[in-house]
Amino acid sequence: MNAPDPVTARHSLDTTVFRARRDELARRLRAAGGGVAIVPTAPEVHRNRDTHYLYRHDSYFYYLTGFREPEAVLLLVVDGDSAQSVLFCRTKHEEREIWDGFRHGPDGAREAFGFDEAHAIDVLADKLPGYFGNRGAVWHSVGYDTQWDARVFEAINAVRAASRSGQVAPVDIRDIRAVLDEMRLIKDAHEVATMRRAGGISGGAHARAMRATRPGRFEYEIEAELLHEFRLHGAQAPAYTSIVAGGANACVLHYVENDCVLRDGDLLLIDAGCELDGYASDITRTFPVNGRFSGPQRDVYELVLAAQDAALAEARPGQAYDRTHEAAVRVLAQGMLDLKLLSGSLDEVLENGSYRRFYMHRTGHWLGMDVHDAGEYKQAGNWRPLMPGMVITIEPGCYIRPADDVPEAFWNIGIRIEDDVLITADGHDILTLGTPRTVAEVEAVMQN
């Protein structure tokens, strides 16, 4: 019996999921008049000289194919009631497979992933005009990549040059992202299951980081604990550069140096999540380096926690997306007044925006294959309503830098609490629920 190739053994997928997505895209394109959609994967990127960054596929391409190899392009040809999926990919190559690893090749990819046709990537330029001829529209990511823009126009011009043979060039160029973004915004059961597992892995990593933290260790040591837990449980990579920010660093929203020593009495803010099988998780937790919140730290932490609870209460179908943010801001602003960080009335603070001094970002974003995932937040100028299948983050925070008008006890307290939330038919489901969250839970984990 032949042993399974390493790619299939590790990344076996139900390819019917991807075929169903291609069918749905074809249905939507057909309703818009049909045409040819072209979706390339991401290129390999050099890190220095002859080494590359760890390869990561393009999210749109993977969403439709499940195919992880570089140098690949999907064509979806929609004519009337028919639709044809065509993959262009690298050929089998014994020597390159010795150096770089397994390749499916066109025949293997067609069989394994259910494409109607598959060809070598080397013949794409020659064959592309043939797919464009006598089709009214070309769908691709207009303006995203100038090289691909040029390749699309080159193929269109080749069709125009053959007009004497009866070929008619496409006259309509449309952005495929507008269609795919709407599809990606609603997660299917396969996506939800993957994101739930990613959230569980990341939650375990945060708990591991809490147990490993103590005064005198460095931020990068705690980052290493996160990365260890991600890979230990099968995640391929961090979903984004981990933020491991002790003390004053927690008041820098995108701090990623992670090279300072952790001091007794400070807080540690960690914003980190793994990527599993193409899907991101995104969790933030803040906890005391020495395992016990001080009085002021606890006060601010409980405020941010209350803001998150208020936002979660608005996370349900039919609610406008912005309602979670408005709910969190209202709680945070009142808390800032109670802690003497601001003065005036709640209405005044909300109207003049003075709360933004301590809370300057929004309360969440779409989550999926990308950390800041695809999808518009407004429709016709209005915040779109939440729908079952959407996944959002809810991540209120409070960041207090030293200032003459700020009580010294609150200086350098930076706190954010973030979870991944699936909108369901009757409310919401927190995909990262197992991550220690309350003061009691955090302190208990750290003491153990």
Side-chain angles (χ1 to χ4, degrees):
M1 179 181 294
N2 293 330
D5 68 75
V7 175
T8 349
R10 170 60 185 86
H11 300 304
S12 56
L13 294 172
D14 180 3
T15 57
T16 59
V17 170
F18 303 99
R19 286 198 294 270
R21 291 174 188 165
R22 296 196 294 271
D23 290 343
E24 173 61 17
L25 177 59
R27 186 190 69 77
R28 295 186 184 214
L29 297 188
R30 187 177 296 114
V36 183
I38 180 166
V39 184
T41 196
E44 293 181 290
V45 180
H46 277 90
R47 187 177 188 274
N48 50 45
R49 285 186 71 85
D50 59 350
T51 63
H52 292 84
Y53 284 102
L54 178 67
Y55 182 71
R56 205 275 186 181
H57 52 260
D58 175 79
S59 294
Y60 292 109
F61 176 84
Y62 183 78
Y63 178 77
L64 295 170
T65 65
F67 193 70
R68 296 172 180 267
E69 295 180 27
E71 297 184 77
V73 176
L74 171 70
L75 292 187
L76 188 65
V77 183
V78 181
D79 264 332
D81 292 333
S82 69
Q84 185 180 35
S85 61
V86 185
L87 181 75
F88 290 83
C89 65
R90 301 180 304 184
T91 58
K92 298 290 289 181
H93 194 297
E94 182 177 356
E95 182 178 358
R96 291 319 312 168
E97 291 189 61
I98 291 171
W99 284 91
D100 301 325
F102 174 81
R103 296 181 178 188
H104 280 90
D107 291 340
R110 184 185 65 250
E111 181 178 351
F113 294 87
F115 300 108
D116 298 309
E117 290 183 18
H119 305 284
I121 191 67
D122 298 339
V123 302
L124 175 64
D126 293 333
K127 284 185 170 289
L128 200 53
Y131 290 103
F132 282 8
N134 297 325
R135 293 188 171 93
V138 172
W139 301 76
H140 86 117
S141 297
V142 182
Y144 178 74
D145 184 319
T146 56
Q147 291 185 339
W148 270 106
D149 285 345
R151 295 178 80 171
V152 167
F153 280 111
E154 182 180 356
I156 291 174
N157 287 333
V159 179
R160 286 189 179 130
S163 61
R164 291 183 182 179
S165 65
Q167 292 289 303
V168 178
V171 296
D172 197 359
I173 299 176
R174 303 186 185 184
D175 196 334
I176 189 65
R177 291 170 297 182
V179 181
L180 287 175
D181 285 357
E182 288 299 301
M183 289 177 59
R184 285 176 55 183
L185 194 54
I186 305 299
K187 273 59 181 178
D188 59 32
H190 165 81
E191 292 175 293
V192 170
T194 303
M195 294 183 71
R196 191 183 303 279
R197 185 174 166 223
I201 293 171
S202 295
H206 277 263
R208 181 189 182 103
M210 292 176 188
R211 292 192 296 268
T213 297
R214 62 185 64 88
R217 298 200 76 181
F218 282 85
E219 292 164 342
Y220 58 76
E221 294 182 80
I222 308 306
E223 180 183 14
E225 300 285 348
L226 297 165
L227 298 177
H228 180 277
E229 194 75 5
F230 293 165
R231 288 299 284 147
L232 180 66
H233 294 283
Q236 288 80 14
Y240 52 96
T241 302
S242 300
I243 296 169
V244 184
N249 295 333
C251 294
V252 179
L253 298 185
H254 290 162
Y255 171 83
V256 292
E257 284 80 3
N258 301 348
D259 59 1
C260 290
V261 69
L262 300 174
R263 300 183 306 175
D264 193 7
D266 280 351
L267 293 171
L268 176 59
L269 183 154
I270 296 179
D271 188 337
C274 72
E275 180 178 293
L276 176 71
D277 294 341
Y279 287 84
S281 58
D282 189 0
I283 301 175
T284 307
R285 290 294 185 266
T286 312
F287 52 91
V289 170
N290 62 16
R292 293 291 184 189
F293 288 93
S294 70
Q297 290 170 349
R298 180 187 290 261
D299 289 342
V300 180
Y301 190 92
E302 294 283 13
L303 170 60
V304 176
L305 193 64
Q308 193 191 39
D309 285 337
L312 285 167
E314 301 296 330
R316 61 183 186 272
Q319 288 287 70
Y321 172 82
D322 199 41
R323 289 291 294 274
T324 56
H325 178 67
E326 291 177 347
V329 165
R330 193 168 188 86
V331 171
L332 287 168
Q334 183 61 60
M336 293 170 192
L337 290 167
D338 296 340
L339 295 174
K340 311 302 183 187
L341 298 172
L342 298 174
S343 59
S345 70
L346 177 59
D347 288 341
E348 290 171 342
V349 165
L350 292 173
E351 185 176 352
N352 63 31
S354 57
Y355 68 87
R356 295 191 185 96
R357 178 181 176 185
F358 304 108
Y359 180 51
M360 62 291 296
H361 61 79
R362 298 194 65 82
T363 304
H365 51 79
W366 306 131
L367 184 69
M369 301 187 103
D370 300 330
V371 179
H372 290 177
D373 205 36
E376 298 294 341
Y377 290 89
K378 285 187 173 182
Q379 293 177 317
N382 298 313
W383 293 103
R384 71 187 306 157
L386 296 175
M387 298 173 58
M390 291 179 172
V391 179
I392 61 175
T393 65
I394 294 184
E395 50 176 305
C398 186
Y399 315 92
I400 309 172
R401 292 173 174 269
D404 291 341
D405 60 344
V406 172
E408 188 173 354
F410 294 106
W411 286 7
N412 294 323
I413 291 179
I415 293 173
R416 183 164 63 252
I417 305 171
E418 178 181 18
D419 284 285
D420 305 343
V421 180
L422 168 70
I423 305 302
T424 63
D426 55 358
H428 65 262
D429 182 4
I430 303 175
L431 301 179
T432 50
L433 188 62
T435 315
R437 178 173 171 266
T438 67
V439 167
E441 289 170 345
V442 169
E443 290 188 341
V445 167
M446 297 194 72
Q447 293 305 309
N448 292 332

